[in-house]
Amino acid sequence: MWCEIPRFRSVDSNHPAGGWLGGGRKENCLAARRSFERRAKHSSPFLPGARECPGDRGHNIDAMPARTPTNNDVAAQFELLADLIELEGGDSFRISAYRRAAKQIQDSSSSVVELALAGRAVDLPGIGKTIEGKIREIAADGKIHALAEREQRIPAGVVSFLRLPGIGPKTASRFWLELGLTTPEELRRAVEQEQLRTLPGLGASIEAKVQKALEQGAEPVEESVLLGRALE
């Protein structure tokens, strides 16, 4: 089978095509195609199997996703980002926007990553340019940049409180900011010492919920595991 390919200078000056690949022979064509694919593999992150060289854009190559993220993967990151913004008492409009986007992404029958890379994710209801850009960040680096930044500021143990039934971002934030709890073990001790009921508006009922969850084995997990489970 004959093909047309770019002409590359052969490293062998005695090459039968006079030092040029693609000189008309079938075997030359196949050899040149392999050479072209090898070069393309290191030059374009959008070709199948391509890997970006470390330092090309300042991102670690290990952060690159091994597969195209599914809609559930993408939606889980927007949900977690909304939770972390709420944990820090952030803007309620952004929180709602990210949660609406997560719902829309999860319900979409098309791959939102592919749509975003084609510049067409904005055609979906509730998806604007900003959110489309964050989807592209997931496609390129495996994680929304704003999510990675917030994970650096918020202790992983605080995020893990969200795994407990009945504990939302606002309550978890109070455990952290008002009681100074940052790890699952500190939360367990606070329950045993009846510290949670000292928070105005919560009372003993919140301690009962947390204690029951801990007794049933709903141990809070580290943030990386939390996100990993959400992406399964």
Side-chain angles (χ1 to χ4, degrees), residues 11-208:
V11 296
D12 185 0
S13 59
N14 296 319
H15 194 280
W20 289 94
L21 295 177
R25 293 189 177 185
K26 181 178 179 181
E27 56 268 30
N28 291 345
C29 178
L30 294 176
R33 178 179 291 279
R34 294 191 186 99
S35 176
F36 176 72
E37 288 175 349
R38 283 196 300 270
R39 297 182 186 206
K41 211 172 191 183
H42 291 286
S43 62
S44 173
F46 298 103
L47 290 176
R51 290 178 67 83
E52 191 172 5
C53 295
D56 278 359
R57 292 188 302 164
H59 299 297
N60 192 309
I61 192 169
D62 293 333
M64 296 289 284
R67 59 178 175 80
T68 300
T70 67
N71 287 356
N72 285 341
D73 296 342
V74 177
Q77 291 205 32
F78 279 102
E79 284 284 3
L80 183 56
L81 177 58
D83 285 344
L84 298 193
I85 293 174
E86 190 169 0
L87 272 170
E88 291 190 310
D91 180 55
S92 59
F93 176 80
R94 293 172 62 199
I95 294 169
S96 298
Y98 289 144
R99 287 191 173 137
R100 284 196 303 269
K103 180 67 166 59
Q104 181 62 48
I105 290 167
Q106 201 163 31
D107 292 344
S108 176
S109 59
S110 302
S111 168
V112 295
V113 167
E114 293 179 4
L115 290 175
L117 292 176
R120 295 190 292 113
V122 291
D123 295 339
L124 298 173
I127 305 296
K129 283 290 186 182
T130 298
I131 290 177
E132 182 179 72
K134 294 185 185 311
I135 297 173
R136 289 180 179 177
E137 291 173 0
I138 295 175
D141 302 319
K143 184 175 287 189
I144 299 172
H145 296 173
L147 175 58
E149 291 168 2
R150 289 181 183 275
E151 288 173 342
Q152 295 298 315
R153 295 199 301 266
I154 301 174
V158 174
V159 180
S160 77
F161 296 163
L162 300 173
R163 289 291 300 170
L164 292 171
I167 304 301
K170 290 183 179 179
T171 302
S173 178
R174 297 189 68 185
F175 291 167
W176 172 32
L177 298 178
E178 297 181 36
L179 293 179
L181 307 178
T182 60
T183 67
E185 184 55 35
E186 290 176 354
L187 178 61
R188 185 185 299 276
R189 287 199 300 268
V191 170
E192 294 171 350
Q193 297 170 8
E194 299 183 345
Q195 293 180 11
L196 304 188
R197 68 182 63 188
T198 64
L199 296 175
L202 294 184
S205 61
I206 191 65
E207 287 181 345

